[in-house]
Amino acid sequence: MCKVLEIEKITKRYKNGRGVTNITLTVNAGEIVGLLGPNGSGKTTIMKTVGGLIHADSGKIKILGIDTESETEAALAETGSLIENPALHGFMTAEQNLRLAAAYYPDVNDERIEKVLELVGLLPYRSDKVGRFSLGMKQRLGLASAMLSEPKLLILDEPLNGLDIEGVIRVRELIGRLSEERGTACLISGHVAAELEKICTHVAVLHNDRLAAFDTVENALKFRPTLEDYYISVVRECEGRLAL
Amino acid sequence: MKSYASCLCGELKKLAVRKKYLILTIVMAAVSIALTMLLMLAKEALSRESLSVTVNISMTLLPIFASAAVPLIGIMAVCDLFASEYHSTAIKAQLLRPVTRFKIYTAKLTAAWLMCAVVMLAEFAVTALCSVFAGGGSGLWYAFGAYILDILPEIILILMAALINQCTKSPTSAMFLSIIIYLAAKLSGYVSASGSSMLFTSYMEWHRLWLGTALPIRDLLTKCALLFGYGLTFFSGGYLLFLKKEF
């Protein structure tokens, strides 16, 4: 099994005391790992550290065996990310935004840009300024931008935010297809357990800045009816351990 | 190098899409044309041939372009490429791509400087035509050299504005601070003659050192070293802050 993302003992602490401590996580090709945790539990912090938006206090991150700190360009060449809100230029059209991103990848051509716009249902709006887009449309364009280069690793921070029902189904199917057909590894965050249950192959529960549990969704659902119950049981177990 | 070129093309596209730079360039050109027409009218009314024949519109307007209009455009470009992108979080679109922060930072600076250069050369083209119409087209090669030389010190101003952009959180404050600091440095140069030679803002009209009555080579080298020092300090400070910045 090819290791696409290796997070080794990552610690990041912000000035306000929040952050993550000693996170170790591996995502293999074709796996969809869901990061589950309450607001402020460090899901976005982990993703930002992987994407190089913030610097970890300690620990190492490797993408396809390449260290992200020392070889940023090579490590990010096979990564597509949508972290927090979509990073788009409102004064440019949807197509112009994708063209800016496409310039970094020699294999991405006009055909590919058209294809990703079609995949997320934005082809009719390709010439519209992004500033006039709704939240859902921006989110879809952000997803298109992340998938543009057909990366081996997708980092998606709450990708279903702002999407309508059809959009949610479309994105869910798209991620599943990429994982099955191309072996794309995905790291997805969310705080709606039911949604992650439908997409993910693995689940990582974050609690009190630490990784409380990491297992396959199949195993997680062996003794619990839903991922939400699994999450609650993990959190209670952690709190019980703390109380003792 | 390819990722740097992609980054630079992207920055230039971002600036080109914004209409304000084109509008400003057109306004400046319109002012040059209006001034030429005024001079030609004055020439006709007074019937004094010597009045306008000697006027070289390009050189007359160069101090305004080099010290006021183009620096303003440079500062605007830097604020659009840094502070505005921080504010809208659009900077993440680049940081998450396979390109280093060094290349992103230098590409942004290069794009802002190229914008200044394009505006400067466009204004030269317009004023040169105006000069020809006004009958003062004799010193155009000299004027061309002066415009080219005056593009160079804009780099230092852009580096200074980029450093300020790393220290502020909003595009408005970055723009305001950059303009205030530039104006303060420029005005203090007029107030204190001894201190003015140490300020980079006194060399925005760089051609005065090189064209016409040339300074001794030692003085020229000292001034080049001074500007280089300013550039190095602004660049190092700005890049270090950009490198440490978290988004």
Side-chain angles (χ1 to χ4, degrees), chain A residues 122-137:
Chain A
L122 286 178
L123 199 56
Y125 309 100
R126 63 194 292 176
S127 304
D128 288 1
K129 291 249 169 78
V130 171
R132 294 190 206 120
F133 277 15
S134 68
L135 179 68
M137 288 166 90

Side-chain angles (χ1 to χ4, degrees), chain A:
Chain A
M1 188 74 81
C2 172
K3 284 180 184 174
V4 179
L5 173 66
E6 293 165 83
I7 301 174
E8 292 168 28
K9 295 179 180 174
I10 281 291
T11 295
K12 169 71 187 173
R13 201 132 298 280
Y14 294 109
K15 282 175 189 166
N16 61 9
R18 278 159 57 179
V20 289
T21 310
N22 214 20
I23 302 287
T24 297
L25 193 69
T26 301
V27 186
N28 297 312
E31 287 180 357
I32 306 171
V33 176
L35 290 176
L36 200 55
N39 292 330
S41 60
K43 304 184 293 285
T44 304
T45 302
I46 293 174
M47 294 185 156
K48 281 185 170 182
T49 317
V50 174
L53 295 178
I54 58 174
H55 310 286
D57 299 337
S58 63
K60 265 195 180 305
I61 294 169
K62 285 180 185 170
I63 296 172
L64 293 163
I66 305 164
D67 187 73
T68 55
E69 197 69 34
S70 57
E71 291 173 80
T72 314
E73 266 189 47
L76 293 181
E78 289 295 345
T79 311
S81 311
L82 169 62
I83 300 176
E84 281 183 328
N85 43 347
L88 303 163
H89 299 282
F91 57 91
M92 296 177 113
T93 65
E95 194 174 347
Q96 282 172 332
N97 267 283
L98 290 183
R99 278 187 195 285
L100 277 187
Y104 295 99
Y105 308 99
D107 299 334
V108 177
N109 51 23
D110 289 356
E111 208 178 310
R112 176 69 191 158
I113 290 174
E114 207 162 294
K115 194 179 175 190
V116 287
L117 280 170
E118 198 180 355
L119 276 175
V120 296
L122 286 178
L123 199 56
Y125 309 100
R126 63 194 292 176
S127 304
D128 288 1
K129 291 249 169 78
V130 171
R132 294 190 206 120
F133 277 15
S134 68
L135 179 68
M137 288 166 90
K138 283 181 185 166
Q139 191 74 359
R140 280 192 273 166
L141 187 59
L143 281 165
S145 179
M147 291 183 295
L148 186 67
S149 62
E150 299 185 85
K152 290 196 169 73
L153 172 66
L154 269 175
I155 303 166
L156 305 174
D157 188 10
E158 302 188 5
L160 308 177
N161 269 3
L163 294 184
D164 52 25
I165 299 166
E166 277 179 37
V168 169
I169 295 167
R170 194 192 282 239
V171 170
R172 202 192 295 149
E173 285 173 355
L174 198 61
I175 293 168
R177 214 165 52 229
L178 283 171
S179 159
E180 275 173 30
E181 293 171 8
R182 297 196 68 251
T184 306
C186 288
L187 185 65
I188 301 180
S189 78
H191 44 253
V192 182
E195 273 308 331
L196 290 184
E197 191 180 317
K198 288 175 189 161
I199 305 176
C200 300
T201 59
H202 290 67
V203 62
V205 178
L206 291 168
H207 182 68
N208 281 341
D209 309 340
R210 287 172 188 275
L211 187 66
F214 181 57
D215 211 337
T216 61
V217 172
E218 201 184 334
N219 280 344
L221 296 179
K222 255 182 194 167
F223 305 107
R224 307 282 169 195
T226 64
L227 206 55
E228 196 174 275
D229 293 308
Y230 172 75
Y231 168 73
I232 297 291
S233 69
V234 169
V235 169
R236 284 194 183 145
E237 196 182 315
C238 286
E239 281 168 357
R241 248 185 269 151
L242 279 173
L244 283 172

Side-chain angles (χ1 to χ4, degrees), chain B residues 25-169:
Chain B
T25 311
I26 292 170
V27 167
M28 282 154 61
V31 169
S32 312
I33 294 165
L35 191 77
T36 313
M37 286 167 81
L38 269 175
L39 279 168
M40 288 172 83
L41 281 173
K43 179 184 151 187
E44 264 185 33
L46 298 171
S47 302
R48 287 196 337 225
E49 285 293 316
S50 59
L51 181 73
S52 60
V53 166
T54 51
V55 174
N56 183 329
I57 303 285
S58 299
M59 289 311 291
T60 310
L61 290 177
L62 180 56
I64 300 169
F65 293 146
S67 295
V70 175
L72 180 71
I73 285 174
I75 289 172
M76 276 166 62
V78 171
C79 292
D80 278 340
L81 296 178
F82 284 103
S84 289
E85 290 195 9
Y86 296 163
H87 189 68
S88 67
T89 68
I91 186 80
K92 286 193 291 183
Q94 272 178 308
L95 293 168
L96 293 168
R97 300 290 164 198
V99 60
T100 60
R101 288 198 181 198
F102 180 78
K103 286 178 185 170
I104 294 172
Y105 192 74
T106 47
K108 282 181 185 295
L109 296 174
T110 313
W113 181 67
L114 284 176
M115 173 56 84
C116 289
V118 167
V119 172
M120 199 78 152
L121 290 176
E123 295 311 327
F124 169 74
V126 173
T127 54
L129 278 173
C130 290
S131 296
V132 171
F133 276 113
S138 56
L140 284 182
W141 278 112
Y142 177 90
F144 180 68
Y147 272 72
I148 294 286
L149 282 171
D150 284 1
I151 293 169
L152 293 172
E154 302 293 342
I155 299 171
I156 313 298
L157 179 74
I158 282 163
L159 290 169
M160 184 200 76
L163 171 63
I164 292 166
N165 271 254
Q166 310 312 315
C167 309
T168 53
K169 282 188 177 167

Side-chain angles (χ1 to χ4, degrees), chain B residues 63 66-68 71 179-192 196 199-205:
Chain B
S67 295
I179 293 173
I180 290 290
I181 291 173
Y182 173 68
L183 275 179
K186 191 86 186 157
L187 291 175
S188 64
Y190 293 121
V191 175
S192 159
S196 74
L199 291 166
F200 76 93
T201 45
S202 306
Y203 304 107
M204 297 311 282
E205 290 163 58

